[in-house]
Amino acid sequence: MAGSPTPGTISTKQARIAMLARQMPGTALRSLSHHMDLEWMREAYRRTRKDGAVGVDGVTAADFATDLDANLQDLLDRAKSGTYRAPPVRRVEIPKGGGKTRPIGIPTFADKVLQRAVVMLLEPVYEQEFYDFSYGFRPGRSAHDAYVALRDTLWEMGGGWVLDADVSSFFDTLDRGQPQDLLRKRVVDGVVVRLVGKWLNAGVLSDGCVVHPTAGTPQGGVISPLLANIYLHEVLDRWWVEDVLPRMRGRAYLVRFADDFVMGFSDEQDAVRVHEVLARRLGRFGLTLHPEKTRLVRFTRPPHDGGGPRPGTFDFVGFRLYWARSRRGWWALKVKTAPSRFTRGALALKEWMMRRRHAPIAVQAEALSRKLRGHFNYYGVPGNSDSLHRFRRVATWRWRRALSRRSQQFLSWERFDAILRRYPLPPSRLPPWRHRQLRLANV
């Protein structure tokens, strides 16, 4: 490699783009791609995952790095000259739960690098546009941040009415012309708009055949989440701020993580009115609400004496929120792993263990420990200890069952305990939270 990436220089360029976007609100920016040079591409390469699955060309990150600068320069030249052709993505199906699967498109490694380079151009522009209640796939924001924002607002308001919305197959039904049209409202740089159009219309390699779906955009590339945010910013967020909030009688809020969002209201009539018009609003842009998963939930904090109707529950970013008594007898806002996520994780562990049951026990223990740590890192939020302990017990039990199937001989708990002492699994304690440690109110 002839040079090394200098993130500081790239950050300075991105700061200039952000400043220009702030100084020209509502104006379509015409010149962004000139920031893309070899140094920019090196940084895009540095930020691209190197251990991901390969695309249709079979080229790995190691293959691409053998002549890195030449490959990056060729990629840059083709992108700017308009000769770059987006290769089809390789489709794979991943389990979604309930026997369903979600299609994921895997771009080629070169395509991943170029998508990252374009995302680095667009993020500084749209970070000036996006609202604070949008959390999905944004720099410095996470699903944990979205959960905390929702939880804190619910506690402050004493619950209220919650509109738990679910957009049916968002990425599969997205009108491909809409994201590009919305992009042109803020960015009209020819190189950027042309590349986005090519990615939206790239074919999909499925069962050995390349098909070109008329709707939807494949998940998997780094450009897709940003385009989804741009789309939903115009379709949902801006509508919420400019049209909905001014008409509310009481307090209302929105928390969105990609296409997963929750609306909360202090006034029941406000909640009913928005529930009635939300489907029509999304329908104007080709989106539909899932009729069974979208529901209005009465989530008000129960009175101390426990009288009145019991509040409902709802799920958000993998967590279930509900009201329950604290140790001191007061009503508290509680959280646990969403049952659907818990079941999905347990079934995935079972299938993995049965496939790997003949591997050496040391190898199994190391891999299972990584999976458990990943589960604990995500679901390890204050108040969710019981779900973590239960998941660890299920994983331990499943592992013993899988080992018993190795030789068709019953593995006693005594022998299995000896294995656990030699290869201990990680404890189900809450991990140090990377953002800030927050305690549930009045618990």
Side-chain angles (χ1 to χ4, degrees):
M1 182 173 171
S4 58
T6 54
T9 304
I10 304 302
S11 298
T12 300
K13 290 183 177 181
Q14 290 182 311
R16 291 173 184 165
I17 296 173
M19 182 178 65
L20 182 65
R22 285 193 300 270
Q23 292 174 347
M24 303 175 64
T27 302
L29 304 180
R30 296 185 174 278
S31 182
L32 289 178
S33 58
H34 72 277
H35 291 288
M36 288 175 57
D37 53 18
L38 184 57
E39 186 178 43
W40 187 279
M41 298 299 290
R42 289 190 191 123
E43 178 63 13
Y45 166 81
R46 188 186 71 83
R47 298 185 187 185
T48 302
R49 276 188 58 184
K50 311 300 189 296
D51 58 347
V54 298
V56 295
D57 60 357
V59 175
T60 65
D63 297 333
F64 191 86
T66 54
D67 195 1
L68 182 60
D69 277 2
N71 289 330
L72 292 175
Q73 188 64 58
D74 175 67
L75 193 60
L76 179 63
D77 292 342
R78 288 188 289 134
K80 289 196 171 185
S81 66
T83 59
Y84 180 79
R85 299 185 63 182
V89 297
R90 183 169 65 86
R91 173 174 287 173
V92 296
E93 302 285 342
I94 62 172
K96 187 179 179 181
K100 298 181 180 179
T101 60
R102 173 185 289 116
I104 296 293
I106 301 176
T108 64
F109 185 79
D111 209 31
K112 293 177 184 178
V113 173
L114 187 55
Q115 287 190 27
R116 175 64 66 185
V118 172
V119 166
M120 288 162 54
L121 287 176
L122 293 177
E123 270 184 350
V125 176
Y126 283 98
E127 281 301 305
Q128 318 310 311
E129 304 281 321
F130 293 155
Y131 294 107
D132 287 340
F133 54 74
S134 168
Y135 290 88
F137 306 105
R138 293 181 59 188
R141 290 174 168 242
S142 70
H144 285 155
D145 294 322
Y147 155 73
V148 168
L150 175 61
R151 190 205 66 188
D152 289 353
T153 306
L154 283 169
W155 176 255
E156 180 188 350
M157 291 177 55
W161 292 83
V162 171
L163 178 53
D164 182 14
D166 184 275
V167 180
S168 298
S169 304
F170 172 73
F171 284 94
D172 296 331
T173 59
L174 188 66
D175 183 348
R176 294 189 169 190
Q178 294 274 9
Q180 206 168 3
D181 292 340
L182 294 175
L183 177 68
R184 288 193 182 96
K185 290 184 176 181
R186 202 64 175 100
V187 176
V188 289
D189 183 292
V191 172
V192 174
V193 174
R194 185 168 57 240
L195 284 173
V196 169
K198 290 181 178 182
W199 286 319
L200 286 171
N201 293 287
V204 176
L205 180 64
S206 180
D207 297 326
C209 298
V210 176
V211 296
H212 292 81
T214 58
T217 177
Q219 301 178 65
V222 296
I223 196 68
S224 293
L226 179 58
L227 293 178
N229 271 338
I230 294 172
Y231 189 77
L232 289 171
H233 172 75
E234 295 291 338
V235 172
L236 182 67
D237 300 355
R238 191 184 295 278
W239 171 73
W240 173 263
V241 171
E242 297 178 359
D243 295 337
V244 175
L245 288 182
R247 293 176 168 83
M248 295 292 95
R249 303 194 315 171
R251 185 175 175 185
Y253 61 91
L254 167 65
V255 180
R256 181 173 67 81
F257 187 87
D259 60 328
D260 188 5
F261 63 93
V262 167
M263 296 173 172
F265 308 86
S266 62
D267 185 89
E268 181 182 1
Q269 292 186 15
D270 286 342
V272 172
R273 289 164 54 204
V274 174
H275 190 197
E276 290 174 348
V277 301
L278 179 60
R280 292 200 299 271
R281 170 64 183 182
L282 296 181
R284 291 176 52 191
F285 296 88
L287 302 177
T288 58
L289 289 174
H290 196 292
E292 297 177 358
K293 296 181 180 179
T294 300
R295 57 200 181 97
L296 191 58
V297 180
R298 186 183 185 277
F299 199 72
T300 52
R301 177 167 44 205
H304 181 61
D305 60 8
R310 186 166 182 83
T313 65
F314 69 95
D315 299 343
F316 182 62
V317 294
F319 298 100
R320 171 156 293 183
L321 289 92
Y322 62 101
W323 290 101
R325 297 280 189 179
S326 71
R327 294 176 181 175
R328 299 179 181 178
W330 300 97
W331 286 104
L333 186 58
K334 298 280 191 174
V335 64
K336 63 181 178 181
T337 305
S340 60
R341 294 289 188 92
F342 190 99
T343 301
R344 185 195 309 177
L347 288 176
L349 276 183
K350 176 185 176 181
E351 294 172 358
W352 173 82
M353 288 173 183
M354 294 307 295
R355 291 196 306 268
R356 300 294 304 277
R357 65 183 183 273
H358 294 295
I361 292 179
V363 174
Q364 291 186 46
E366 182 181 358
L368 179 56
S369 295
R370 287 197 303 269
K371 291 179 180 294
L372 286 175
R373 280 192 290 268
H375 183 91
F376 299 155
N377 284 339
Y378 185 83
Y379 294 103
V381 299
N384 196 30
S385 298
D386 288 347
S387 293
L388 300 188
H389 298 331
R390 189 159 65 94
F391 192 83
R392 188 181 187 276
R393 288 197 300 270
V394 169
T396 304
W397 181 77
R398 296 280 193 196
W399 192 25
R400 175 175 170 266
R401 288 290 301 273
L403 291 177
S404 295
R405 295 284 298 274
R406 280 163 56 115
S407 59
Q408 302 299 322
Q409 293 181 359
F410 177 75
L411 179 65
S412 68
W413 278 107
E414 182 179 1
R415 290 174 55 201
F416 184 60
D417 285 341
I419 293 175
L420 289 177
R421 285 193 298 270
R422 184 174 182 182
Y423 305 105
L425 298 177
S428 55
R429 66 170 64 102
L430 300 182
W433 214 0
R434 59 180 173 269
H435 301 295
R436 55 191 174 110
Q437 238 359 302
L438 290 172
R439 296 178 59 86
L440 285 176
N442 86 332
V443 175

